[in-house]
Amino acid sequence: MTLNADSDFWASANTHLTRYGPSFEPVIIERAAGSFVYDADGRAILDFTSGQMSAVLGHTHPDIVATVARQMGAVAHLFSGMLSRPVVTLAERLAALAPGLDRVQLLTTGAEANEAAIRMAKLVTGRHEIVAFAQSWHGMTGAAASATYSAGRRGYGPAGVGSFAIPAPNAYRPRFRNVDGSNDWQTELDDAFALIDSQSTGSLAAFIAEPILSSGGILELPLGYLAALKQKCEQRGMLLILDEAQTGIGRTGHMFAFERDGVVPDILTLSKTLGAGLPLAAVMTTKAIEQTAFERGFLFYTTHVSDPLPAAIGVTVLDVVARDGLVAQATARGNRLRDGLLSLQQKFECVGDVRGRGLLLGLEIVVDRQSKTPGFELGARIMEETMRRGLSMNIVKLPSMGGVFRIAPPLTVSEAEIDRGLEIMSEAIQAAATTH
């Protein structure tokens, strides 16, 4: 009898918990350490989603545990008008990592950070229209939800006035093609902004984008796209907001994903990875934008703004990433993982595409490679099989796309853990493909 079948636990859960998204896994997680979570039976489950794509240092990292204990013993929370040393230290450290983005506000979640960024962009530009990708996910609160298009739009009434979307470039399923069949993203971008211009009332404030759309199916903006997007924004007097909730703090093999492109946004939001699994987010912008926002009375005053406990954790995250060379390790481990995924693509006809950077990779499941028919049901069976074998992976299901596995182990993942994860994936795909 498995301890995960605790009838009292599940009766209470089913009676009292609001169902807020996907169904709950039929296991009870008792503890976690490193790249693993452990269920009620003590079974180790390899975590290839880093919690909710956040635990870049793995679970219960000793440096994080020590910082929490130390800071809790000093000061954890303050009146929002008070400052502490961890807050100023983290702001200084972040500014040094992103030259030009000298001003920092520390908040809690990614949605909250995007909310603040959009609010700031509207105030500074004096405009209200916000453009995002049609496969985007920026959060579940007001303005962030209005800029989220991959899910959750039906049934909630009107979105924010002036909410627009354009398609994200998709090299596997291109809408526009060059002569050689490759993705003609420039023509797609030109076409999209022609449509935006025809719909706009002349009040375009900002474009908000993820450098790699995670919930959108690990869609990577191709090299050159960010620069072209920034130019589109500048031509229209818009600000460019980059949401690096999942790509920031080393995950893609750069401290920030935008570094590869040499394009600095007007506003940068960080969350998830910055707190290594604890609630911490940041909004970073230029001195000039912050000055204008201040002069116009920028207000984003929350209960947990500038709290010392999460700020201290953020400092520790940056310390560990630097000390242990985790940005470079994300590239090395990511290459090993990518090579393994490409081997699975060679082995299994249902693996349509492998994409992403560093330790944020996508594996798209299709019915067959010729038609690229989405393999939703097969992907779901593969996910069940991986969990049964001790590997936790997340699959994104979107219209017009196959089931896409988002694979994002901690930056601390070992080569042996990557190899084991790939072995389980191979076994799971084989089992799922032969049971339909």
Side-chain angles (χ1 to χ4, degrees):
M1 180 69 176
T2 173
L3 296 176
N4 290 304
D6 183 333
S7 58
D8 291 339
F9 176 91
W10 291 111
S12 183
N14 292 332
T15 300
H16 299 296
L17 294 183
T18 297
R19 290 161 288 186
Y20 48 80
S23 58
F24 298 117
E25 294 285 353
V27 293
I28 303 171
I29 301 303
E30 300 286 8
R31 64 185 184 91
S35 299
F36 294 89
V37 297
Y38 296 84
D39 69 8
D41 295 328
R43 184 176 70 118
I45 302 170
L46 189 55
D47 182 5
F48 266 29
T49 62
S50 299
Q52 189 62 40
M53 319 297 282
S54 303
V56 288
L57 305 183
H59 297 282
T60 58
H61 190 286
D63 290 69
I64 298 296
V65 172
T67 296
V68 170
R70 183 186 71 249
Q71 195 62 44
M72 280 297 295
V75 55
H77 166 73
L78 290 170
F79 167 66
S80 296
M82 291 181 175
L83 290 177
S84 60
R85 293 188 184 278
V87 168
V88 175
T89 299
L90 180 55
E92 182 180 31
R93 293 280 296 278
L94 286 172
L97 291 171
L101 300 177
D102 302 316
R103 298 288 185 156
V104 182
Q105 182 179 18
L106 299 180
L107 298 163
T108 53
T109 68
E112 189 179 44
N114 290 330
E115 204 77 32
I118 291 171
R119 188 174 176 88
M120 180 179 287
K122 289 180 176 180
L123 183 66
V124 168
T125 62
R127 303 174 179 184
H128 70 276
E129 293 172 343
I130 304 296
V131 187
F133 287 121
Q135 297 80 6
S136 62
W137 183 293
H138 295 295
M140 289 284 96
T141 58
S146 292
T148 293
Y149 293 91
S150 63
R153 293 189 70 82
R154 295 183 181 275
Y156 301 99
V161 174
S163 299
F164 299 117
I166 71 170
N170 185 340
Y172 185 59
R173 300 171 184 273
R175 298 177 68 247
F176 293 81
R177 298 176 186 268
N178 293 308
V179 175
D180 63 1
S182 62
N183 186 26
D184 182 1
W185 57 261
Q186 183 66 64
T187 298
E188 181 178 38
L189 184 62
D190 292 342
D191 180 70
F193 265 87
L195 288 172
I196 292 298
D197 289 338
S198 70
Q199 298 173 76
S200 171
T201 62
S203 190
L204 290 168
F207 193 111
I208 183 168
E210 304 162 82
I212 300 176
L213 286 79
S214 179
S215 295
I218 310 296
L219 296 180
E220 180 182 10
L221 301 186
L223 190 60
Y225 191 99
L226 265 184
L229 180 59
K230 182 73 179 293
Q231 184 179 45
K232 296 287 188 188
C233 290
E234 290 174 343
Q235 289 169 348
R236 291 159 178 80
M238 303 167 68
L239 300 185
L240 176 61
I241 303 169
L242 287 187
D243 176 356
E244 293 226 24
Q246 297 191 31
T247 55
I249 318 300
R251 182 167 286 289
T252 66
H254 291 87
M255 180 57 72
F256 308 112
F258 71 75
E259 291 180 281
R260 184 205 67 172
D261 299 74
V263 177
V264 180
D266 298 296
I267 304 176
L268 173 68
T269 62
L270 303 170
S271 53
K272 291 183 182 291
T273 55
L274 181 61
L278 283 86
L280 173 64
V283 182
M284 303 180 64
T285 192
T286 65
K287 181 179 179 181
I289 290 174
E290 191 276 340
Q291 181 64 32
T292 301
F294 171 73
E295 290 171 358
R296 296 183 180 180
F298 179 65
L299 179 66
F300 201 88
Y301 190 84
T302 75
T303 301
H304 294 289
V305 64
S306 296
D307 263 354
L309 174 60
I313 292 164
V315 172
T316 298
V317 169
L318 298 183
D319 285 343
V320 174
V321 167
R323 182 194 71 200
D324 296 348
L326 295 184
V327 177
Q329 183 161 301
T331 297
R333 297 286 194 269
N335 288 339
R336 188 182 190 93
L337 179 56
R338 173 184 283 275
D339 288 345
L341 296 177
L342 290 172
S343 294
L344 294 179
Q345 186 181 29
Q346 294 296 315
K347 184 177 180 181
F348 298 106
E349 184 70 18
C350 66
V351 178
D353 193 31
V354 174
R355 53 183 180 258
R357 298 208 307 269
L359 282 172
L360 181 59
L361 298 174
L363 187 79
E364 181 163 344
I365 303 299
V366 295
V367 174
D368 69 85
R369 292 183 188 170
Q370 285 67 45
S371 68
K372 300 181 182 178
T373 302
F376 295 133
E377 293 181 2
L378 177 57
R381 289 199 301 272
I382 292 171
M383 187 170 67
E384 291 172 2
E385 293 289 346
T386 59
M387 178 60 82
R388 187 174 294 122
R389 288 166 169 77
L391 172 65
S392 173
M393 292 205 305
N394 172 262
I395 191 167
V396 176
K397 299 177 182 179
L398 290 174
S400 79
M401 294 176 64
V404 182
F405 283 104
R406 296 189 296 165
I407 305 171
L411 305 191
T412 52
V413 67
S414 69
E415 291 184 349
E417 289 165 349
I418 287 175
D419 293 345
R420 178 56 184 152
L422 290 165
E423 182 182 2
I424 293 175
M425 280 185 233
S426 181
E427 294 172 358
I429 294 172
Q430 182 69 50
T434 56
T435 55
H436 68 283

